[in-house]
Amino acid sequence: MNAKPGLWRWRSNPLRRREDVVEAWLVLTVWMVVVLAGAVAGVLTARAAADVFAAQRAHRHPVRAVLLADAPHGATSAWPADGLVRARVRWTAPDGTPRTGDTLVDSGLRSGARVTIWRDDHGNLAPAKPTNPTEGAIEAGVFGVAAALAVAAPVYGAGALGRLWLDRRRMARWEREWDLVEPRWGHRTG
């Protein structure tokens, strides 16, 4: 019966060495850990990120605010590259009290302009607009894939180092055995 070439390490074979068996178990273990732990880490991370994005959507609310000073024109190296500049705004908290704070607004707006800002449930200024469900799902998926790779890469690397060590042991063993057998075959070459 002819076994598949990839399964030769599992068959009984007089040429099979202890290193071959260890390598077979190492490869199996590495792939099991990569697949299982990578999948678990990816799913857990994606779910956690999706939950964070959903919580942000539930607890951040758009509010109209008034710009208290002219927003600077243009962007400098100190400002974000998307045309937004930091400016002071005033808004009303849910309890009716006026609040002020700094947030990013479009450059060039005049004092008194109405802008939309994001606040949390307590009326405090939120750092940014929450992601929409589609963007949140995409970002959660990207985080999940990154987590899976972060788990899988070191395991795969450790497996590769283990196989390299086994290959060196195998080559050293073959060299020792060749040194014993070669003199029986005649004169040395080279």
Side-chain angles (χ1 to χ4, degrees), residues 1-188:
M1 181 173 186
N2 191 7
K4 293 182 181 179
L7 301 176
W8 70 271
R9 288 179 180 91
W10 298 101
R11 293 184 306 170
S12 178
N13 183 333
L15 298 178
R16 183 182 68 187
R17 312 228 177 217
R18 185 174 61 227
E19 289 86 359
D20 298 331
V21 175
V22 170
E23 182 179 24
W25 282 106
L26 177 68
V27 169
L28 178 66
T29 303
V30 164
W31 281 108
M32 294 293 288
V33 170
V34 163
V35 170
L36 295 177
V40 168
V43 168
L44 291 177
T45 301
R47 282 187 182 173
D51 290 346
V52 167
F53 296 141
Q56 286 177 354
R57 284 191 297 277
H59 298 290
R60 289 186 185 172
H61 313 285
V63 163
R64 297 296 286 173
V66 177
L67 196 60
L68 297 178
D70 291 346
H73 284 282
T76 65
S77 61
W79 308 112
D82 56 2
L84 299 176
V85 294
R86 187 164 296 279
R88 195 148 209 45
V89 295
R90 182 180 61 234
W91 71 96
T92 304
D95 62 2
T97 60
R99 304 256 179 113
T100 60
D102 290 336
T103 189
L104 296 175
V105 298
D106 291 328
S107 67
L109 293 177
R110 294 272 185 216
S111 176
R114 296 215 174 261
V115 295
T116 300
I117 62 165
W118 291 86
R119 66 163 176 84
D120 62 16
D121 291 335
H122 305 290
N124 298 321
L125 199 58
K129 175 182 176 181
T131 60
N132 67 40
T134 303
E135 290 171 340
I138 291 170
E139 286 186 40
V142 169
F143 288 145
V145 168
L149 291 175
V151 168
V155 173
Y156 185 79
L161 288 175
R163 290 186 74 191
L164 180 65
W165 177 75
L166 287 169
D167 283 343
R168 287 185 177 170
R169 275 189 56 136
R170 196 173 8 245
M171 293 305 289
R173 191 170 177 183
W174 286 342
E175 188 175 328
R176 284 191 309 270
E177 289 176 3
W178 179 251
D179 287 342
L180 292 174
V181 172
E182 192 269 335
R184 295 185 211 157
W185 288 8
H187 69 284
R188 291 189 177 268

